[in-house]
């Protein structure tokens, strides 16, 4: 019970050198070895292949560029707030994300996971903005939308598949620029 949350807490709340260290940490936290011998090697290779396949959605950089071209007179700050492990993140540099945003706040660096309000406060501090001036765009109703709203942020659900009951939903990241520009805030 709770295996996914345990694995997320172990892998996403501190810096690690790679999947091998993460496997050891999971084994220590659970008292079970997820892989031994050749199974461990297979798991490491499988993780590496999955990491090499990481790609951005096609609309991600389009949306970032559109937000940077925002004609409004204010200065728009863009950040990333993510629950993530600390290894295999080189795709952010490779895809140009790190240079397209003002701040990156990762759970593995601050030791907190969304929807904990403290990670939102930490991110707000990194952005240098009060919560009421921040908009979270994410794909998890619980972690991204509810977590952000509880922390005083506005939130938009990114749902690429089906309509949901969440009040403000978009289907494509390029909708964020239009949403911000049309609202004037």
């Amino acid at each position: 019970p709770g295996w996914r949350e345990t694995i997320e807490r172990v892998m996403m709340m501190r810096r690690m050198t790679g999947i091998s260290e993460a496997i050891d940490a999971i084994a220590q936290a659970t008292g079970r070895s997820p892989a031994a011998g050749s199974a461990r090697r297979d798991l490491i290779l499988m993780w590496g292949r999955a990491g090499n396949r990481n790609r951005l959605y096609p609309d991600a950089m389009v949306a970032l560029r559109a937000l940077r071209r925002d004609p409004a007179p204010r200065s728009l700050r863009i950040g990333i707030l993510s629950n993530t492990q600390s290894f295999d993140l080189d795709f952010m540099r490779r895809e140009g994300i790190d240079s397209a945003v003002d701040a990156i706040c990762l759970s593995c660096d601050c030791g907190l996971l969304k929807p904990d309000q403290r990670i939102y406060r930490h991110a707000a501090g990194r952005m240098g903005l009060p919560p009421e001036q921040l908009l979270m765009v994410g794909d998890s109703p619980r972690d991204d939308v509810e977590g952000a709203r509880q922390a005083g942020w506005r939130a938009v659900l990114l749902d690429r598949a089906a309509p949901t009951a969440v009040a403000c939903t978009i289907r494509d990241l390029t909708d964020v620029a239009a949403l911000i520009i049309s609202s004037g805030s």
Side-chain angles (χ1 to χ4, degrees):
W3 65 269
R4 181 179 175 167
E5 290 81 13
T6 299
I7 290 171
E8 285 178 344
R9 279 193 308 276
V10 170
M11 290 180 68
M12 296 182 177
M13 292 183 69
R14 68 182 175 99
R15 281 265 166 195
M16 294 186 191
T17 57
I19 188 61
S20 184
E21 183 180 347
I23 291 170
D24 293 341
I26 291 167
Q28 184 177 15
T30 63
R32 296 180 177 198
S33 178
S38 63
R40 180 185 181 94
R41 186 183 67 248
D42 291 344
L43 184 57
I44 291 168
L45 291 172
M46 184 174 61
W47 184 275
R49 286 190 301 271
N52 290 335
R53 287 191 308 266
N54 279 342
R55 296 292 180 264
L56 295 178
Y57 281 104
D59 59 337
M61 291 308 290
V62 173
L64 287 172
R65 284 192 290 274
L67 289 168
R68 288 292 182 210
R69 286 191 312 263
D70 177 6
R74 69 196 179 302
S75 173
L76 184 65
R77 296 186 47 79
I78 301 170
I80 294 175
L81 172 57
S82 181
N83 287 353
T84 191
Q85 41 71 30
S86 59
F87 43 94
D88 298 329
L89 295 176
D90 56 334
F91 77 94
M92 291 174 55
R93 180 191 40 75
R94 182 179 66 235
E95 299 287 346
I97 295 173
D98 57 348
S99 60
V101 299
D102 300 300
I104 298 176
C105 180
L106 306 177
S107 61
C108 60
D109 291 330
C110 65
L112 300 164
L113 290 169
K114 297 179 294 180
D116 188 323
Q117 291 181 31
R118 294 175 298 170
I119 195 170
Y120 285 94
R121 286 194 295 269
H122 178 77
R126 298 280 313 270
M127 293 294 290
L129 295 168
E132 63 274 6
Q133 290 184 12
L134 293 164
L135 171 69
M136 176 68 178
V137 178
D139 61 3
S140 169
R142 177 181 167 262
D143 291 350
D144 298 321
V145 175
E146 290 306 314
R149 288 181 179 164
Q150 288 176 5
W153 295 31
R154 291 176 290 157
V156 173
L157 180 68
L158 173 61
D159 185 348
R160 295 178 184 276
T164 67
V166 176
C168 188
T169 302
I170 60 172
R171 294 197 182 283
D172 188 290
L173 287 170
T174 57
D175 294 338
V176 174
L179 181 69
I180 290 172
I181 293 167
S182 70
S183 73
S185 61

